[in-house]
Amino acid sequence: MPRRSTSVLRVIRTLVLLCLFGSLLGVDARAAPEWQRRFDVVVTPSADLARARVSVRFTALRPRRMFLRDRGALRAVRLLPGSGWTVRGGAFVAPAGSGAAPPFAYDVDLKVLEKSLGSGRVRRVGRDLLVHPGGLIPRLGRRPSDTGATVRFVCPGGIQAATAWPQIAGGQHPHHYELPDAGLLRDGWLALGRFSPHTVSVAGST
């Protein structure tokens, strides 16, 4: 195996193990959740990992605001028009109304994100990318216990996604995960790139 590929796998395995140890999250697949209130996030990275589109859809949920955890991340964001959502005061702000909030989407310039957040939050290993989820995936300011969330990565050919979050079993998408709550989103990394994913079992995880 080429030295670069070995290095990438070693970094990814180390980071995933740290995520698992810190949050006690396992990598076992779980049945698709059946929350009545939820939001679902879809992340679509470009083939060169220079950009990503993030889409958010709601079911029986109308938050007033959503946030990116990492300060400075909004400098890399371009909100797509037409949803009624705006960016104000460091947050995505929903339009007034009743019922479930309308979906919204935004593009993230990953190169600008890397410059804005630094290597402590975004790191490239060769052509692959490690990114802190708080700079990419939105969260509620406070998520009620009866509200669920999922994230799905729709990757172009040859690109893989890896995270320590619980994978949702039985779906049509290989990179579909149950999103941890806002507290757990403070920790860990996402890996995107041209690597071979590996599943790691850790004693004591669920």
Side-chain angles (χ1 to χ4, degrees):
M1 179 180 292
R3 181 175 297 177
R4 190 190 70 82
S5 298
T6 302
S7 175
V8 170
L9 285 174
R10 186 179 297 115
V11 170
I12 291 170
R13 287 172 178 168
T14 300
L15 291 170
V16 169
L17 284 170
L18 286 172
C19 292
L20 288 168
F21 179 77
S23 64
L24 295 182
L25 283 175
V27 295
D28 294 338
R30 298 186 182 184
E34 296 182 356
W35 297 294
Q36 291 187 349
R37 300 199 307 169
R38 61 188 291 164
F39 66 94
D40 299 288
V41 180
V42 177
V43 179
T44 306
S46 62
D48 60 359
L49 298 181
R51 301 171 305 283
R53 175 159 294 182
V54 181
S55 304
V56 188
R57 187 172 297 275
F58 303 91
T59 300
L61 181 67
R62 193 175 191 93
R64 295 178 59 189
R65 294 178 176 85
M66 295 194 81
F67 304 85
L68 291 175
R69 165 76 175 139
D70 290 336
R71 293 181 179 179
L74 282 175
R75 288 195 290 267
V77 166
R78 182 180 70 87
L79 185 66
L80 299 187
S83 67
W85 286 73
T86 56
V87 176
R88 297 199 309 269
F92 299 106
V93 180
S98 59
F104 72 100
Y106 54 92
D107 288 334
V108 181
D109 187 321
L110 295 174
K111 293 182 179 180
V112 173
L113 189 70
E114 186 176 4
K115 292 179 181 178
S116 298
L117 301 184
S119 61
R121 287 291 185 266
V122 184
R123 185 177 307 164
R124 291 188 183 270
V125 181
R127 293 186 303 167
D128 303 321
L129 182 72
L130 301 173
V131 57
H132 187 262
L136 193 63
I137 297 173
R139 65 177 179 88
L140 300 177
R142 181 178 180 183
R143 191 163 117 196
S145 59
D146 63 346
T147 300
T150 69
V151 60
R152 177 164 58 92
F153 296 91
V154 179
C155 299
I159 298 294
Q160 299 286 345
T163 174
W165 301 333
Q167 191 168 8
I168 295 175
Q172 299 178 352
H173 306 284
H175 303 301
H176 198 186
Y177 303 92
E178 183 180 343
L179 194 63
D181 64 23
L184 293 178
L185 273 176
R186 289 195 298 262
D187 306 313
W189 293 81
L190 305 174
L192 298 168
R194 299 181 183 277
F195 51 82
S196 298
H198 292 265
T199 298
V200 181
S201 298
V202 178
S205 66
T206 57

